[in-house]
């Protein structure tokens, strides 16, 4: 299996930095996705890590360590609109994705 | 708007009825995926197509579920004899083989409620 674990909920303050962790157990995968999903809406793509290391894209960065079975999404300069669910997903053969249950982030003023 | 559309956006039906959902992917995308999502959980893979061929189907998909993509463009997902446990958001996604990271672009979903 590809057990994917994420914290269920996190709370942070506007303007702060938050790190959302994702751990997994799998025999192999092509890469790891992070998606953002607002309530009642479809997931939208944030980042994709294939190699170990940090990928930076504006206020969002994503990190992958294959040897540790670990990834994180880092959100800087938090804004109220960042309140959403953040989904970690493994990209396996044929591009099929296996998702974690998501982390619901609440940004408070 | 990702360019993937789904219809209808909402469907309320009575237990035992059949329902059909449609997905129109991004036009040049050759792969199309169906997922199901319930509250508090991540999307769960159901099935996927490459062009018109259905290449994989989840073991979670009972015989009451069938999907087609007859011309390799739009796809339909049919649920026969619906049960209350089928209530969920049904998401469609598309991607391009060999495209950047094979990112899947999701449609807005069809929310199904079985009474």
């Amino acid at each position: 299996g590809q057990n994917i674990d994420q914290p269920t909920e996190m709370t942070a303050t506007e303007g702060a930095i938050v790190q959302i962790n994702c751990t997994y157990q799998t025999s192999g995968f092509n890469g790891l996705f992070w998606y953002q999903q607002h309530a009642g809406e479809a997931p939208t793509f944030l980042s994709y890590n294939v190699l170990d290391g940090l990928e930076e894209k504006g206020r969002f960065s994503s990190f992958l360590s294959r040897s540790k079975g670990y990834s994180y999404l880092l959100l800087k300069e938090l804004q109220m609109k960042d309140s959403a669910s953040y989904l970690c997903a493994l990209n396996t053969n044929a591009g099929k994705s296996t998702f974690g249950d998501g982390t619901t982030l609440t940004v408070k003023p | 708007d990702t360019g993937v559309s789904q219809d209808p956006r909402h469907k309320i039906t009575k237990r035992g009825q059949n329902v059909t959902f449609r997905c129109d992917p991004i036009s040049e995308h050759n792969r199309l995926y169906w997922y199901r999502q319930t509250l508090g959980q991540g999307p769960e893979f159901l099935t996927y197509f490459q062009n018109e061929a259905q290449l994989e189907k989840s073991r979670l998909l009972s015989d009451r579920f069938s999907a087609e993509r007859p011309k390799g463009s739009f796809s339909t997902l049919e649920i026969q004899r619906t049960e209350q446990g089928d209530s969920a958001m049904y998401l469609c996604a598309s991607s391009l083989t060999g495209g950047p990271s094979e990112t899947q672009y999701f449609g807005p979903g069809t929310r199904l409620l079985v009474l």
Side-chain angles (χ1 to χ4, degrees), chain B residues 27-85:
Chain B
S27 59
E28 62 268 27
H29 284 184
N30 57 342
R31 284 191 176 158
L32 186 148
Y33 305 81
W34 284 100
Y35 291 87
R36 176 172 63 190
Q37 186 176 25
T38 53
L39 198 62
Q41 298 194 330
E44 181 181 52
F45 172 77
L46 294 179
T47 188
Y48 95 94
F49 293 83
Q50 179 155 316
N51 300 313
E52 64 275 8
Q54 186 174 18
L55 296 186
E56 188 172 344
K57 195 173 171 181
S58 168
R59 278 171 280 177
L60 299 170
L61 214 60
S62 77
D63 291 342
R64 296 185 297 106
F65 288 71
S66 62
E68 294 182 342
R69 194 184 184 197
K71 297 181 181 178
S73 56
F74 74 92
S75 174
T76 57
L77 176 68
E78 182 183 18
I79 309 174
Q80 296 182 326
R81 304 180 303 281
T82 53
E83 301 173 356
Q84 288 183 327

Side-chain angles (χ1 to χ4, degrees), chain A residues 48-68:
Chain A
Y48 184 61
N49 292 69
V50 175
L51 302 176
D52 284 4
L54 189 67
E55 295 276 346
E56 296 186 79
K57 192 184 290 186
R59 293 190 300 114
F60 293 2
S61 303
S62 58
F63 172 85
L64 176 65
S65 169
R66 286 180 177 264
S67 61
K68 295 182 179 178

Side-chain angles (χ1 to χ4, degrees), chain A residues 91-107:
Chain A
N91 183 18
T92 58
N93 291 336
K96 183 178 75 175
S97 290
T98 302
F99 286 82
D101 286 338
T103 298
T104 299
L105 174 67
T106 302
V107 180

